[in-house]
Amino acid sequence: MIDSSEFRRVMGHFPTGVAVVTTRRHDGSPCGLTVNAFCSVSLTPPLVLVCVEHGADSHACIVDSGAFAVNVLEETHGETISRRFATWNLEDKFAGIAFRSEKTASPVLDAALAWIDCRVTETVRAGDHTIFLGEVLAAETLEGRPLVYYRGGYGRFTP
Ligand SMILES: Cc1cc2nc3c(=O)[nH]c(=O)nc-3n(C[C@H](O)[C@H](O)[C@H](O)COP(=O)(O)O)c2cc1C
């Protein structure tokens, strides 16, 4: 079997966008993490998936709330937001970040390049992660350019 650091290194050669997946805790406080394991799954019905590590704080939040929003990050503020939401045990990841709710209660970031608001339809245990399948209830795009993640570093997309 391939060693996990080698697996991570090889997978890093697949360039991705970066997103913050958000949801709410029981008390209504916002919760979220940085992900790049996100993709579209089905057009009819519209489904997406995100993969979240079992140990992540946000994992339990998504299980409990049954909803999540995917906030695609743009190049200007995206790296700072990505690093913030990838930090373990940070007191308030949302401090100073403007957000609102759309169809579900999940926070939609004002700084997102695109957002997709979902209700969880299925969860699949997959190794040390859970695949959350979400039915898309609302989505929107804004002007801007995407943040890109490649070989462990952040970059920009130039067409
Ligand atoms: C670019 C990037 C992509 C990431 N992608 C994922 C991912 O797809 N799934 C995941 O569970 N963690 C991913 N992480 C790690 C989480 O963001 C990190 O573990 C975070 O601290 C979890 O936060 P939480 O415990 O508050 O939920 C990624 C981190 C970075 C920097």
Side-chain angles (χ1 to χ4, degrees), residues 16-22 32-39 48-52 58 68-74 78-79 81-86 93 107 109 111-116 146-149 154:
T16 66
V18 187
V20 170
V21 168
T22 55
L33 82 167
T34 300
V35 307
N36 63 348
F38 160 63
C39 71
V48 297
L49 70 74
V50 293
C51 301
V52 180
S58 312
F68 62 86
V70 180
N71 296 272
V72 178
L73 299 180
E74 54 72 57
E79 181 172 343
I81 296 175
S82 172
R83 290 185 187 282
R84 163 105 63 109
F85 280 84
K93 290 179 171 179
L109 308 187
L113 176 62
W115 56 264
I116 301 112
L147 181 67
V148 176
Y149 196 66
Y154 296 93

Side-chain angles (χ1 to χ4, degrees), residues 79-96:
E79 181 172 343
T80 308
I81 296 175
S82 172
R83 290 185 187 282
R84 163 105 63 109
F85 280 84
T87 307
W88 287 90
N89 288 328
L90 190 63
E91 183 73 24
D92 183 7
K93 290 179 171 179
F94 289 82

Side-chain angles (χ1 to χ4, degrees), residues 40-123:
S40 105
V41 173
S42 158
L43 282 177
T44 317
L47 298 174
V48 297
L49 70 74
V50 293
C51 301
V52 180
E53 194 180 355
H54 295 151
D57 224 38
S58 312
H59 185 278
C61 300
I62 299 172
V63 170
D64 290 349
S65 71
F68 62 86
V70 180
N71 296 272
V72 178
L73 299 180
E74 54 72 57
E75 65 179 18
T76 318
H77 308 291
E79 181 172 343
T80 308
I81 296 175
S82 172
R83 290 185 187 282
R84 163 105 63 109
F85 280 84
T87 307
W88 287 90
N89 288 328
L90 190 63
E91 183 73 24
D92 183 7
K93 290 179 171 179
F94 289 82
I97 292 184
F99 63 91
R100 62 191 187 278
S101 289
E102 292 285 347
K103 204 81 174 177
T104 72
S106 308
V108 168
L109 308 187
D110 288 359
L113 176 62
W115 56 264
I116 301 112
D117 201 5
C118 306
R119 137 187 116 77
V120 174
T121 55
E122 221 174 307
T123 62

